Amino acid sequence: MNKQEFLIQLREEFTKQEIPDSKSEKFIKKFEKLIDEAEEKDQEEKIKDLGTPQEIAIKTKEMLEEKKKKKLPKKQTETEGDQDTSSEIEEQQEENSVVSVRGKYIFIGGLVLTSPVWIAVFAALAIIFFAIYTAMVLIDAVIGVVLTAAIIVGGIASVTAIIYGIIGLLPGSVASYIGMYELGLGLMILGILIVSGILLHFFVVKVTPLVFRSTTRLIKFTYRQFVRLFKFIRKECDKI
């Protein structure tokens, strides 16, 4: 939930709780100021820490009702209620600021102290991913060279055998059975070459890109998990 959505829902919840516009606008401005003090990328986390609009509205309603129960003149009660509310928000703002700074230093200190561990983890992951990419490139190269050489040699052998087989089957040939054998051998080699070409095409066009895409997705997934872990640790440092 972004800031605008939060403020709109907060205003709606204040209306549902029948909180006067004069008071609800003051609260909304205070919460908007609290959110703006956080960095843009951390505003959603800040909003989560503040609670849901419904919870805030209910808590505000209860607080205002408690003020009304006090046996004080109406005007004095409203004035003190506004002052107490403003004071509470300012104290919360100051406390959040102190906690944020303290948590930041704890987080940075923890990163420095544990740097040998996470640097080693990052290095190991980088080596693994690099090894996968390198292995796929080498396998592609080897298979491509071997199959290409086999296709060239086999093609020559197949054409030669077919030609000799046809010559051996011509009328007047002494050993026609040899020609039939040569022709059958040439056709068999040709079939093997066709199958090899299909396998080479399938591996290069289908298997290799699939492995590269899967590895890339794995890298992105790992990166997102590390980002979430660091954000979680950063948030927990603020609670210390």
Side-chain angles (χ1 to χ4, degrees):
M1 182 186 301
N2 58 36
K3 184 183 76 173
Q4 295 300 326
E5 292 173 343
F6 174 78
L7 296 177
I8 290 172
Q9 292 185 21
L10 185 59
R11 184 175 284 106
E12 291 176 352
E13 293 297 332
F14 280 154
T15 302
K16 291 179 182 179
Q17 296 297 328
E18 298 180 351
I19 297 175
D21 292 341
S22 58
K23 288 184 173 57
S24 64
E25 289 301 323
K26 290 181 180 179
F27 285 115
I28 290 172
K29 288 181 180 178
K30 293 293 183 182
F31 282 108
E32 184 177 9
K33 185 178 179 181
L34 286 173
I35 296 171
D36 288 337
E37 287 179 351
E39 295 183 10
E40 185 176 353
K41 61 180 180 180
D42 297 329
Q43 286 187 354
E44 291 189 2
E45 292 294 330
K46 183 67 176 179
I47 291 171
K48 290 181 181 178
D49 293 338
L50 292 174
T52 64
Q54 185 180 12
E55 293 173 346
I56 295 172
I58 293 173
K59 184 177 179 181
T60 304
K61 178 68 173 180
E62 292 175 351
M63 182 183 62
L64 293 176
E65 287 179 348
E66 287 179 3
K67 297 298 180 183
K68 289 181 180 180
K69 291 179 181 179
K70 292 183 179 180
K71 294 180 180 180
L72 292 173
K74 185 176 180 181
K75 291 184 179 179
Q76 183 178 354
T77 303
E78 291 178 354
T79 303
E80 290 181 358
D82 291 341
Q83 290 176 350
D84 290 343
T85 303
S86 177
S87 176
E88 288 178 4
I89 294 178
E90 289 176 358
E91 289 176 1
Q92 182 183 1
Q93 178 180 351
E94 182 178 355
E95 183 180 353
N96 289 339
S97 177
V98 173
V99 169
S100 179
V101 173
R102 184 174 63 223
K104 180 179 180 180
Y105 286 126
I106 294 174
F107 177 71
I108 294 175
L111 285 182
V112 173
L113 292 176
T114 59
S115 58
V117 176
W118 55 263
I119 289 176
V121 172
F122 283 148
L125 290 174
I127 291 172
I128 292 172
F129 292 139
F130 178 77
I132 294 174
Y133 279 120
T134 304
M136 289 306 303
V137 172
L138 291 176
I139 291 173
D140 277 350
V142 171
I143 292 178
V145 170
V146 172
L147 286 181
T148 301
I151 289 172
I152 293 174
V153 174
I156 295 173
S158 176
V159 171
T160 302
I162 290 173
I163 292 174
Y164 274 106
I166 293 173
I167 293 174
L169 292 175
L170 291 175
S173 298
V174 178
S176 59
Y177 63 91
I178 296 178
M180 185 176 296
Y181 168 78
E182 293 281 352
L183 181 60
L185 179 62
L187 293 175
M188 184 179 67
I189 294 174
L190 180 62
I192 294 173
L193 292 179
I194 293 173
V195 173
S196 299
I198 294 173
L199 291 176
L200 176 62
H201 178 269
F202 176 79
F203 187 85
V204 174
V205 176
K206 298 291 185 180
V207 177
T208 302
L210 177 62
V211 173
F212 276 112
R213 287 196 300 269
S214 300
T215 305
T216 302
R217 284 197 295 267
L218 179 60
I219 292 174
K220 291 180 179 179
F221 173 78
T222 305
Y223 170 77
R224 287 195 297 268
Q225 296 307 310
F226 271 109
V227 170
R228 290 179 180 176
L229 176 62
F230 278 112
K231 285 184 177 180
F232 173 77
I233 295 173
R234 177 69 178 87
K235 185 177 180 181
E236 292 299 315
C237 288
D238 288 337
K239 298 179 181 179
I240 298 176

